[in-house]
Structure formats: structure tokens, C-alpha cells
Amino acid sequence: MQRILSVFLGITLAASLTTGCAKERIKAEKAAADLLISDEQENQIGLQVKQELEQKQHVQYVTDPVVVDYVNRVAGPILQQAARARKGVQWKVSVINDPKTVNAFATPGGYLYVYTGLLLAADNEAQLAGVLAHEAGHVVGRHSARAMVDAFGLQAISELALGKNPGTAAQIATQLVGGGAMLAHSRGEETEADEYGATYAAGANYDPHGLITFFGKLQQMQGSSPGVLKWLSDHPTNAERIKHLDQYIAQHNLHGTEVGAERLAPIRQKLGGK
């Protein structure tokens, strides 16, 4: 196990030194992660974290079929594209009933979670689609799996995949609910997830600028709602990041006509929003 981990670190270091390019380094890390953690192991990790969220963190899901079906309808065409890019993942979307928390996250195995607070914060469906597509991008890029290996070590994560390390699952679940930085992603990973997000959103015929406008919305809310914008704190943004994503959309000729404010509005009302 230690020898495999050394190979993983060696590949990553070599890529960063020889290319100096964040994208090339991420590709090397992904290739190494493919060797270290199988799709089945990622599925098992995601399942165990989900069980911890439900049993120990007492996460409550929205059960209203109107809300659940709506989120799955938005996610459906996005996840179809992600499934083509990352085979072996069984995608699952859950809506967490917490209107005070603006957050969404993904765990290995294709488990996506979105808080009702994020549904209430979004102005339109394109913004929601952008967030879901961004989180799907983290799974496609195996970012969460690598973050867990970085945080706990390969041996602990391998044991977790085998069901032999429930303590690690508990720590991960605690940090996810608490909005900690345990699964924080590098700048390069966030950029890659942004690009996936814009691509998948446009592929589903949503305006690919939805993610950019959502960043702006959260920045506006930050002063009046400190402490609840967990998605923004875990995905820090700046002018350079927004400029890159805008350029990426233009360079790749990404287009989408759907904004969907009128479809999100009744869902927001149903959740108690305006």
C-alpha cells in the first residue's frame, strides 16, 4: 500500500515539476487516482458517508415529491452527460431540508446533495443547473476522492471502502455538514469543475453563464447573510476565476437558451421563499 502511495505522489510531483501546468497536474493526479481507488470503492465510500449523514448527523431530506422531482428533472440531462464522461458511477441526488444553509456538495460514488437554502438563494433554474453541473464535475474529476486521500491517507480510505473504518466516514460527514474544509479543492480543481459545469449546463440547453451569475448573487448576499453561504466559502471566487469561466464559455462556443426563472419560482414559494 505504501509503495502504491509513493507511486501516486511521484506521478503528481513529476507532472507539476515538468509541466508547471495546473491542468496537466490534475490529469496526472486523476490517472493516479484511477489506479488507487476503483469505481466500486468510490461507490462504497459515498454510501458509507451517506449513512453517516443520515444516522449520526441526522440530515433531513425533503420528501415533497414536487420539490424532489423538480430537482431531479433539472439534474437529469446534466448527469446524463457526466455519466458519459465518467462511467461506473451511479448518480444520486438528495435535497437536504435546511433553508438557512446555502450549500451543495458531492461525494465519491456520484452522491450529490443540494440544500433547500440554495434553491431559495438561486434566482433561476440556470443557476441551479450550474451548481449541480459544477458538483458533478468534481465527481467526474475524482476531486473528492483525492481530497479524502490527501486528508486521511490512502490506507484509511481503502479501509473505509471495505467498511473497516467507520470513524473516517463519521469525520467526513461531520465536516460536510459543518462546512469544514476537509474536502476543500485546489484552485485547479475548482477551475476544472467550473469548466465541466458550464459544458454540462450548456449541453442541457441552460445558459452556461448561470454559474457566474450565481457567484455574483452569493457575493451580494455575503454581507447580509454571513455564516450561511457555505457553498461560497468552500468555493471562493474572484474576478480572475469569473473571467476565466467567461472566456472558456466563449472559446468553446457554449450556448443555452433556458433560464427557467418561472419554473423555479413556484418551488421557492413551496419552500417558503418569496
Side-chain angles (χ1 to χ4, degrees), residues 87-233:
K87 301 184 186 302
V89 173
Q90 300 296 320
W91 298 91
K92 309 158 195 73
V93 182
S94 299
V95 183
I96 297 176
N97 188 15
D98 184 351
K100 295 183 179 180
T101 301
V102 181
N103 199 15
F105 60 85
T107 65
Y111 290 84
L112 271 59
Y113 301 84
V114 58
Y115 286 69
T116 54
L118 192 143
L119 297 176
L120 291 168
D123 288 326
N124 54 57
E125 199 168 281
Q127 292 182 354
L128 172 61
V131 171
L132 292 172
H134 174 98
E135 293 301 331
H138 280 311
V139 177
V140 170
R142 306 194 75 156
H143 301 160
S144 297
R146 289 205 301 272
M148 290 181 182
V149 171
D150 288 344
F152 297 100
L154 178 60
Q155 183 171 344
I157 296 304
S158 297
E159 291 175 350
L160 173 61
L162 296 173
K164 297 180 179 179
N165 198 340
T168 300
Q171 291 182 61
I172 293 170
T174 299
Q175 287 287 6
L176 288 171
V177 172
M182 183 174 293
L183 299 184
H185 303 297
S186 70
R187 180 177 177 181
E189 289 173 342
E190 290 294 356
T191 296
E192 186 179 46
D194 287 347
E195 294 172 356
Y196 278 128
T199 301
Y200 296 160
N205 197 33
Y206 286 108
D207 180 357
H209 296 89
L211 186 59
I212 293 176
T213 60
F214 190 64
F215 280 142
K217 174 67 180 293
L218 294 189
Q219 287 175 326
Q220 292 175 0
M221 292 175 61
Q222 198 167 23
S224 60
S225 305
V228 301
L229 301 180
K230 292 182 179 177
W231 199 78
L232 187 61
S233 66

